[in-house]
Amino acid sequence: MIVGDRKDFKEILEKLGSRRRVLVLGCNECVTVCGVGGEREVGILSAELRLYWKKEGETFEVREHTLERQCDYEYIDQIRGFVNDYDVILSMACGAGVQYVAEAYKTKLVLPAVNTTFLGVTIEQGVWSERCQGCGSCILDMTAGVCPIARCAKSLLNGPCGGSSGGKCEIDNETDCAWQLIVDRLKESDQMERYEEILPVKDWRTGREGGPRKRVREDLKL
Amino acid sequence: MSYPSNVKVVKLPCTGRVDVLLILRAFESGVDGVYVAGCMEGECHFLRGNLRARRRVEYMKGLLEEVGLGGDRVEMFNMSASQGQRFAQCAREMTERIRSLGPSPVRKSSSNT
């Protein structure tokens, strides 16, 4: 899923400036699962705004609304009937959702309330960890199902480096060395011969380095 | 057992049911403070409900600081079902704390949505 962090309340207030009619817009997908931008978090942020502005004696209107997704137009379109009642849309979706809402309502100010951080997994309730960088050319078959692009601090294709110690990365002792994980798993799955294969230089054009990506499936088009 | 009449008790099956949103709603409705009275740590019938509630109360303190109401307006207390005197003592302690902090600044205005 896409993982993010709620922006600091102070930063959100600063971005809102003098605008007091606010539509707080949540998303029922990834940001709900990682506890940053779903219906509950929309409720919390909205309550914070109301408490703050009540305390300041200001006049305001905060509306809470959560869409099934903010990355599909058919859901974004559902707010068309009341979106103009508000000065600003405070989107709690990932960066993709914020942008798509802004694209749909060109005259509206759309502000992000979330810092989108990574593609990851749930380690346990309340803990998430990065697993994928969307590089566009997956090599997990070569690395025993552990991604060195996302999980090695240097994204080394042939590791580990000298900074690996006791199974941990030199950046901090909480971070596993991805290449240690790869070697361990190659051993466990009786594939150590793969470790002898030198992975070639990666073609990064399939990733972000090749510019914004677009995917077209003619067979799925209507 | 007597405790200050200003304390309104909201019954929950376990403090593990306490959610940040519940406490926020209480403050939005104009209360001056909220405290959570949970079972003794290590004695939760549902194992960790009171420990979870404590973490949520700590998180809530941060939220109240952010919005300018002050984190001291929310607190977690632990007591067993047989400690009526402690229940009353905590009610008095929290009441005194809130009295010293004064009324919630949110109560001044309630005309918005």
Side-chain angles (χ1 to χ4, degrees):
Chain A
M1 85 190 87
I2 297 170
V3 180
D5 295 312
R6 224 292 296 276
K7 282 183 178 289
D8 286 340
F9 185 64
K10 190 178 170 191
E11 183 184 344
I12 292 172
L13 280 180
E14 285 172 359
K15 288 183 189 299
L16 285 171
S18 60
R19 299 172 193 89
R20 294 293 177 268
R21 290 184 303 159
V22 181
L23 173 59
V24 182
L25 195 62
C27 178
N28 261 339
E29 295 286 345
C30 312
V31 288
T32 293
V33 181
C34 69
V36 70
E39 191 174 355
R40 179 173 176 273
E41 291 72 34
V42 165
I44 290 171
L45 177 56
S46 300
E48 283 188 274
L49 290 170
R50 286 191 291 262
L51 284 170
Y52 182 81
W53 284 329
K54 272 186 187 177
K55 178 180 73 69
E56 299 295 310
E58 301 209 31
T59 302
F60 59 87
E61 184 179 351
V62 176
R63 177 165 180 165
E64 302 175 24
H65 195 84
T66 302
L67 296 174
E68 195 58 37
R69 285 196 288 280
Q70 288 190 31
C71 52
D72 273 316
Y73 183 81
E74 66 199 90
Y75 299 112
I76 296 172
D77 196 45
Q78 292 171 353
I79 62 172
R80 191 165 297 281
F82 55 84
V83 71
N84 284 326
D85 297 338
Y86 301 91
D87 302 322
V88 55
I89 301 171
L90 195 51
S91 170
M92 301 195 78
C94 68
V98 176
Q99 289 181 66
Y100 217 25
V101 170
E103 281 179 49
Y105 301 105
K106 296 191 189 306
T107 61
K108 298 305 297 182
L109 178 65
V110 182
L111 298 175
V114 167
N115 292 322
T116 307
T117 48
F118 56 79
L119 300 178
V121 296
T122 306
I123 300 293
E124 59 180 280
Q125 177 71 15
V127 181
W128 296 271
S129 175
E130 185 165 17
R131 287 291 185 276
C132 180
Q133 285 195 357
C135 71
S137 54
C138 190
I139 54 165
L140 285 169
D141 58 315
M142 303 293 291
T143 56
V146 177
C147 180
I149 306 300
R151 301 181 70 183
C152 169
K154 296 174 178 172
S155 295
L156 287 180
L157 285 166
N158 297 283
C161 71
S164 177
S165 176
K168 299 296 178 184
C169 176
E170 64 185 337
I171 61 166
D172 67 63
N173 56 17
E174 295 290 311
T175 304
D176 290 325
C177 167
W179 272 99
Q180 182 68 58
L181 295 176
I182 291 169
V183 169
D184 289 348
R185 197 150 190 282
L186 283 171
K187 283 181 186 168
E188 284 168 2
S189 56
D190 199 24
Q191 299 181 80
M192 265 309 275
E193 74 279 2
R194 280 198 173 276
Y195 189 54
E196 299 297 320
E197 297 174 30
I198 303 297
L199 288 173
V201 173
K202 190 174 175 64
D203 182 355
W204 291 100
R205 288 174 300 181
T206 57
R208 262 293 304 151
E209 286 71 6
R213 291 164 283 179
K214 185 177 182 181
R215 180 168 177 258
V216 179
R217 278 277 303 273
E218 294 293 344
D219 59 311
L220 292 180
K221 283 186 174 180
L222 296 176
Chain B
M1 179 186 77
S2 67
Y3 61 93
S5 59
N6 53 277
V7 174
K8 175 178 168 58
V9 177
V10 178
K11 293 179 184 173
L12 295 170
C14 171
T15 51
R17 172 64 182 88
V18 172
D19 185 74
V20 169
L21 261 179
L22 285 181
I23 303 177
L24 279 168
R25 294 280 181 261
F27 279 102
E28 280 197 81
S29 72
V31 303
D32 300 316
V34 172
Y35 70 94
V36 178
C39 297
M40 301 298 284
E41 292 191 359
E43 295 180 12
C44 176
H45 181 73
F46 303 102
L47 304 179
R48 292 189 299 277
N50 50 1
L51 302 178
R52 288 172 176 149
R54 178 171 293 279
R55 287 204 293 264
R56 290 168 195 162
V57 166
E58 291 302 319
Y59 181 71
M60 189 66 217
K61 283 176 179 285
L63 289 185
L64 289 181
E65 287 292 338
E66 279 183 339
V67 299
L69 267 68
D72 286 343
R73 290 187 183 274
V74 65
E75 198 51 81
M76 173 89 194
F77 294 102
N78 295 94
M79 63 201 69
S80 76
S82 63
Q83 289 179 304
Q85 290 304 318
R86 172 152 172 79
F87 178 86
Q89 177 202 332
C90 293
R92 285 192 292 272
E93 187 181 321
M94 195 63 185
T95 298
E96 284 310 310
R97 183 198 293 187
I98 298 300
R99 194 160 282 154
S100 69
L101 291 172
S104 165
V106 169
R107 273 205 288 166
K108 292 176 197 164
S109 167
S110 59
S111 58
N112 294 295
T113 55

